[in-house]
Amino acid sequence: MATVKVHGSVFSTASQRVLVCLHEKELDFEFVPVDMSSGDHKKPPFLSLNPFGQLPAFEEGDLKLFESRAITQYISHTNPNKGNQLICQDPKKMAIMSVWMEVEAHEFDPPSSKLAWEQAFKPMFGMTTDVAVVEENEAKLAKVLDIYEARLAQSKYMGGDCFTLVDLHHLPNIQYLMDTQSKKLFDSRPHVRTWCSDILARPNWLKVVAMKNN
Amino acid sequence: MATVKVHGSVFSTASQRVLVCLHEKELDFEFVPVDMSSGDHKKPPFLSLNPFGQLPAFEEGDLKLFESRAITQYISHTNPNKGNQLICQDPKKMAIMSVWMEVEAHEFDPPSSKLAWEQAFKPMFGMTTDVAVVEENEAKLAKVLDIYEARLAQSKYMGGDCFTLVDLHHLPNIQYLMDTQSKKLFDSRPHVRTWCSDILARPNWLKVVAMKNN
């Protein structure tokens, strides 16, 4: 396997998704920081890796990928025998996993990303949180988490019996929201609360949190 | 293989995505219409198939799936030798396909769905098109299609050398936009225009268009 390079930022949720996946699979990689404050992700050298100018980008020899969820799937499919298993081999179980991967991307990510932006990122940049946007997106996220509560009453993890990419894809936004008032949405639902405590405590995730805090 | 049932509407873009996939794979299925005008998709019998109350839902024996892109992937992976090949076996080619599947879902679908809603669905329901929303989303879609134009100058199809799920996932929204002023965004880009003509003329897609028009 050629050396893996991840071009990203330790603060970007999509970059974190790829980093935790590489740690879970116990793969070596080179992390290439992209300076978002200088707009480097919107300039030509980075745009040749991802024409949409979004972090992260992934290189393995001549293979260049972007879109964090496509990258984590590639890593997991091509390294079945390394680190932790993050996907299911059985096609029906894989299909159920795919359903919940789509749910994370289309239902969970939009409101949780907006809540993280308003409450975690804006204060970092000295900007003011928009309370109306927070209220609107907390209401949306609450409805999604009601369905998660029912799912987690039946299944230990969101994708099935064991930790998979479905759970992993949730980690960055949940981590940011744990330091905001939106934490209450997770804490007030017992199965969701237990699931969060479990996945946030994974040593491979804590390595990514440590990169951000250093 | 147990009988496949698709619960959906011939007008719903996500249902159409699953229907064209089943036709491409030459699979028999039972189509179960869900009456959206009565809100049947938000009521208990349907909610047991998809707790989010969105069309379509898919059943194959005891396997119940939702999220159209998860369903098309399941169908394609479990029927490799039927109908047309819609995915790549090579892991690197599959990874490139995954990247562009994510792009369709996250970059193309949001503005194109909003444009279809404003210009194709609202008039059907006697509602008024919001010109400002159309302008805003045409600007967003134009940027995405600039990147598609560059991609299609290098690659005959969006996912690679041959027609795959990446192209298939685009069909429903493109078809709706062909009858609106937003058609100009596709027509003014030569590679995008050729690609649209090609994929919209596929006999298996025309079967889905015929279901809608009957």
Side-chain angles (χ1 to χ4, degrees):
Chain A
M1 197 188 197
T3 305
V4 164
K5 282 190 196 177
V6 179
H7 303 257
S9 156
V10 294
F11 298 105
S12 119
T13 53
S15 301
Q16 291 171 3
R17 221 173 263 134
V18 171
L19 295 173
V20 63
C21 183
L22 288 163
H23 285 306
E24 288 284 347
K25 298 306 288 181
E26 295 172 13
L27 297 171
D28 291 328
F29 62 94
E30 180 186 341
F31 181 67
V32 185
V34 178
D35 186 356
M36 294 177 82
S37 63
S38 317
D40 283 354
H41 53 311
K42 302 292 181 192
K43 292 176 190 165
F46 186 80
L47 289 178
S48 70
L49 293 169
N50 180 358
F52 291 93
Q54 292 160 352
L55 303 184
F58 174 95
E59 282 189 282
E60 184 194 279
D62 59 359
L63 180 69
K64 296 178 203 311
L65 302 176
F66 55 95
E67 285 289 346
S68 63
R69 296 170 187 87
I71 299 169
T72 60
Q73 289 183 69
Y74 171 72
I75 294 168
S76 304
H77 280 285
T78 51
N79 294 283
N81 302 319
K82 293 194 182 158
N84 294 314
Q85 190 59 264
L86 299 174
I87 50 173
C88 304
Q89 296 304 319
D90 175 73
K92 291 192 178 185
K93 288 187 179 169
M94 186 67 212
I96 301 284
M97 255 193 73
S98 284
V99 166
W100 292 98
M101 277 203 279
E102 295 286 327
V103 167
E104 182 278 324
H106 299 295
E107 305 292 339
F108 180 84
D109 187 82
S112 64
S113 290
K114 288 195 188 87
L115 288 168
W117 170 249
E118 288 295 335
Q119 302 174 99
F121 290 93
K122 272 186 161 183
M124 255 190 257
F125 301 129
M127 295 161 76
T128 308
T129 299
D130 184 328
V131 179
V133 173
V134 170
E135 268 180 30
E136 182 193 335
N137 285 286
E138 284 197 338
K140 285 183 187 171
L141 186 57
K143 283 186 189 172
V144 174
L145 293 181
D146 282 342
I147 293 170
Y148 277 33
E149 181 67 10
R151 168 76 181 151
L152 291 165
Q154 312 263 335
S155 173
K156 187 171 178 195
Y157 292 96
M158 285 300 295
D161 296 338
C162 55
F163 179 85
T164 64
L165 284 186
V166 181
D167 310 293
L168 181 146
H169 289 173
H170 287 83
L171 281 166
N173 275 320
I174 294 180
Q175 184 73 54
Y176 275 116
L177 294 181
M178 286 299 113
D179 294 326
T180 71
Q181 68 163 39
S182 303
K183 182 175 190 290
K184 66 177 185 288
L185 299 175
F186 299 86
D187 284 351
S188 56
R189 292 169 173 83
H191 292 96
V192 170
R193 185 178 62 229
T194 303
W195 170 70
C196 286
S197 308
D198 178 348
I199 65 174
L200 290 172
R202 289 180 75 85
N204 290 311
W205 172 245
L206 296 177
K207 289 178 195 167
V208 178
V209 175
M211 281 176 83
K212 190 178 65 165
N213 294 342
N214 280 343
Chain B
M1 198 190 198
T3 306
V4 163
K5 283 189 196 176
V6 179
H7 303 256
S9 156
V10 293
F11 298 105
S12 118
T13 52
S15 302
Q16 291 170 4
R17 220 171 265 136
V18 171
L19 295 173
V20 64
C21 183
L22 288 163
H23 285 306
E24 288 284 348
K25 298 305 287 181
E26 295 172 12
L27 297 172
D28 291 329
F29 62 93
E30 180 186 341
F31 181 66
V32 186
V34 177
D35 186 357
M36 293 177 82
S37 63
S38 317
D40 283 356
H41 54 309
K42 300 293 182 191
K43 292 175 189 167
F46 185 80
L47 290 178
S48 71
L49 293 169
N50 179 357
F52 291 93
Q54 292 160 351
L55 302 184
F58 173 96
E59 283 187 282
E60 184 193 279
D62 59 358
L63 180 69
K64 295 178 205 311
L65 304 176
F66 54 97
E67 285 288 345
S68 62
R69 297 171 187 85
I71 299 169
T72 59
Q73 289 183 70
Y74 171 72
I75 293 168
S76 305
H77 279 285
T78 51
N79 295 283
N81 301 320
K82 294 194 182 158
N84 294 315
Q85 191 59 264
L86 299 174
I87 50 174
C88 305
Q89 296 304 318
D90 174 74
K92 290 192 178 184
K93 287 187 179 170
M94 185 68 212
I96 301 285
M97 256 194 73
S98 285
V99 166
W100 292 98
M101 278 203 278
E102 295 286 326
V103 167
E104 182 279 324
H106 298 296
E107 305 292 338
F108 179 84
D109 188 82
S112 63
S113 290
K114 288 195 188 87
L115 289 168
W117 170 249
E118 287 296 335
Q119 301 175 100
F121 289 95
K122 273 186 162 184
M124 257 192 257
F125 301 130
M127 295 162 77
T128 308
T129 298
D130 185 328
V131 178
V133 173
V134 170
E135 268 180 29
E136 182 193 336
N137 285 285
E138 284 197 338
K140 285 183 186 170
L141 185 57
K143 284 187 188 170
V144 174
L145 293 182
D146 282 341
I147 293 169
Y148 278 33
E149 182 66 9
R151 167 77 180 149
L152 290 166
Q154 312 264 333
S155 171
K156 188 173 178 195
Y157 292 95
M158 286 299 296
D161 297 335
C162 55
F163 179 85
T164 64
L165 283 186
V166 180
D167 310 291
L168 181 146
H169 289 173
H170 287 83
L171 282 166
N173 276 320
I174 294 180
Q175 183 73 54
Y176 275 116
L177 294 182
M178 286 299 112
D179 295 325
T180 71
Q181 67 160 39
S182 303
K183 182 174 191 289
K184 66 178 185 287
L185 299 176
F186 299 87
D187 284 351
S188 57
R189 291 169 174 84
H191 292 95
V192 170
R193 185 179 61 229
T194 304
W195 170 69
C196 286
S197 308
D198 178 348
I199 65 173
L200 290 172
R202 287 180 77 83
N204 290 311
W205 172 245
L206 296 178
K207 290 178 195 167
V208 178
V209 176
M211 283 176 81
K212 192 178 66 164
N213 294 342
N214 281 341

